[in-house]
């Protein structure tokens, strides 16, 4: 699925209280980024700790809570468009629902694009022709990949990259964008609560360095690498990597590697070799638009142009 994102015509489902909260704390930054701000974020995150507690223990009805979430965030509850592996009443906790998996026939593993690099998540994509463009386009001179945790980051600087933003209603599992061997897998900056990852914050804060994150790098047999920076957002600081994911492990394209718990989040994708954007996406980027693409669909390929 591909959706063009026009800057002045994007319609999103977002509660008013959520909008006000983000404007005050993150756009206007009324509390700065010191100890008081961290205290507020700690209290805010504590309200989500019950998301791992079974609905039954909380005296809640699973179906009611799941459908309430769907209504709040705009997730379709139409039985004909219900793509998930369980019915609403079958989820035991809110995080089990939030980290929900597709039914087998709809899973990314069963519906992979033909490109060598596919979407690791369902997200809105900002595409950059090379990493050095990011500070200029985002209007933030500090938005670099130095110090992010990517080994030999200089090798990525002259190549294309993508910044993915996941809405709260989106599928929040992430998958391997290409096949190969894991050469880096590390959780970083886990001692500090994250700020929002909404696009407006990018002009003032480098979320690649500021937020809690996981760095996962996969390398194919010809030494081509894809580096993913999996970024936690406010109240989404639980990046849950698959425990089986280890450095030195061989992985398949589209393989499940983890999920976000609780809320919107972001993933940055970098390459140490030339990437050609999928042919049906190039015209969108050429006219300055973002695009939304489903997990597992073709994103780009090395030194070739492909299309599903």
């Amino acid at each position: 699925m591909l959706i063009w994102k026009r800057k002045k015509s994007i319609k999103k489902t977002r509660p008013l209280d959520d909008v006000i909260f983000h404007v005050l704390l993150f756009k206007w930054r009324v509390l700065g980024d010191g100890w008081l701000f961290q205290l507020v974020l700690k209290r805010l995150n504590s309200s989500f700790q019950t998301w791992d507690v079974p609905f039954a223990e909380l005296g809640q009805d699973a179906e009611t809570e799941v459908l309430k979430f769907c209504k709040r965030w705009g997730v379709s509850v139409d039985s004909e468009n219900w793509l998930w592996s369980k019915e609403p009443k079958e989820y035991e906790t809110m995080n089990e629902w939030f980290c929900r998996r597709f039914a087998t026939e709809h899973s990314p593993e069963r519906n992979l694009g033909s490109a060598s690099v596919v979407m690791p998540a369902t997200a809105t994509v900002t595409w950059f022709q090379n990493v050095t463009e990011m500070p200029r386009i985002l209007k933030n001179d500090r938005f670099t990949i130095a110090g992010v945790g990517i080994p030999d980051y200089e090798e990525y600087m002259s190549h294309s990259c993508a910044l993915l933003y996941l809405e709260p209603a989106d599928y929040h599992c992430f998958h391997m964008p290409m096949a190969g061997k894991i050469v880096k897998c590390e959780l970083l900056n886990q001692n500090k609560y994250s700020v929002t990852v909404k696009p407006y914050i990018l002009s003032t804060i480098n979320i690649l360095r500021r937020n809690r994150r996981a760095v996962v790098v996969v390398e194919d047999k010809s030494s081509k690498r894809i580096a993913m920076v999996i970024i936690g957002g406010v109240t989404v600081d639980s990046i849950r990597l698959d425990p089986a994911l280890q450095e030195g492990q061989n992985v398949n394209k589209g393989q499940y590697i983890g999920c976000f718990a609780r809320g919107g989040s972001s993933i940055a994708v970098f390459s140490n070799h030339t990437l050609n954007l999928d042919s049906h996406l190039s015209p969108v980027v050429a006219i300055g638009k973002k695009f939304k693409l489903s997990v597992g669909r073709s994103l780009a390929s090395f030194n070739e142009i492909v299309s599903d």
Side-chain angles (χ1 to χ4, degrees), residues 28-39:
W28 293 352
R29 302 179 73 182
V30 295
L31 297 180
D33 193 17
W35 68 270
L36 181 58
F37 181 65
Q38 285 296 303
L39 186 63

Side-chain angles (χ1 to χ4, degrees), residues 84-243:
W84 316 113
S85 61
K86 295 183 178 182
E87 295 298 320
K89 64 183 180 181
E90 296 177 308
Y91 290 96
E92 294 186 5
T93 69
M94 183 55 75
N95 263 334
E96 185 189 11
W97 155 250
F98 191 80
C99 303
R100 60 196 177 276
R101 303 290 295 272
F102 283 104
T104 302
E105 63 271 24
H106 300 300
S107 68
E109 295 92 335
R110 292 285 188 92
N111 297 278
L112 286 176
S114 57
S116 51
V117 179
V118 299
M119 284 287 287
T122 296
T124 298
V125 181
T126 303
W127 183 261
F128 302 87
Q129 293 304 320
N130 58 69
V131 174
T132 58
E133 286 188 345
M134 297 181 83
R136 177 182 61 82
I137 293 174
L138 298 175
K139 298 179 175 61
N140 183 352
D141 291 339
R142 294 174 294 175
F143 208 98
T144 71
I145 61 172
V148 170
I150 301 172
D152 304 314
Y153 75 90
E154 298 91 346
E155 297 180 6
Y156 299 81
M157 295 295 293
S158 61
H159 301 292
S160 300
C161 62
L163 192 57
L164 284 56
Y165 174 64
L166 289 68
E167 296 280 356
D170 287 333
Y171 174 70
H172 268 71
C173 298
F174 39 87
H175 295 247
M176 191 55 64
M178 79 169 190
K181 179 182 289 187
I182 300 294
V183 296
K184 176 76 171 180
C185 181
E186 185 178 7
L187 287 164
L188 297 165
N189 213 26
Q190 298 297 295
N191 62 345
K192 193 174 185 180
Y193 290 108
S194 298
V195 301
T196 183
V197 295
K198 296 186 189 304
Y200 67 75
I201 203 70
L202 303 180
S203 63
T204 55
I205 296 176
N206 182 358
I207 60 172
L208 301 176
R209 293 183 60 181
R210 165 60 180 78
N211 283 12
R212 294 184 181 183
R213 60 193 180 275
V215 175
V216 178
V217 182
V218 59
E219 181 180 75
D220 70 10
K221 294 180 179 179
S222 58
S223 299
K224 296 181 179 70
R225 290 186 174 188
I226 292 292
M228 284 196 300
V229 182
I230 301 163
I231 309 160
V234 61
T235 73
V236 203
D237 277 344
S238 182
I239 300 172
R240 301 184 177 183
L241 295 176
D242 185 340

Side-chain angles (χ1 to χ4, degrees), residues 262-276:
R262 315 185 307 257
S265 34
S266 185
I267 298 174
V269 179
F270 303 95
S271 170
N272 71 342
H273 278 69
T274 301
L275 276 179
N276 292 312

Side-chain angles (χ1 to χ4, degrees), residues 279-299:
S279 60
H280 79 296
L281 301 173
S282 297
V284 182
V285 173
I287 56 176
K289 297 183 185 296
K290 300 178 183 181
F291 57 88
K292 188 163 188 175
L293 201 60
S294 297
V295 60
R297 304 306 298 168
S298 288
L299 180 62

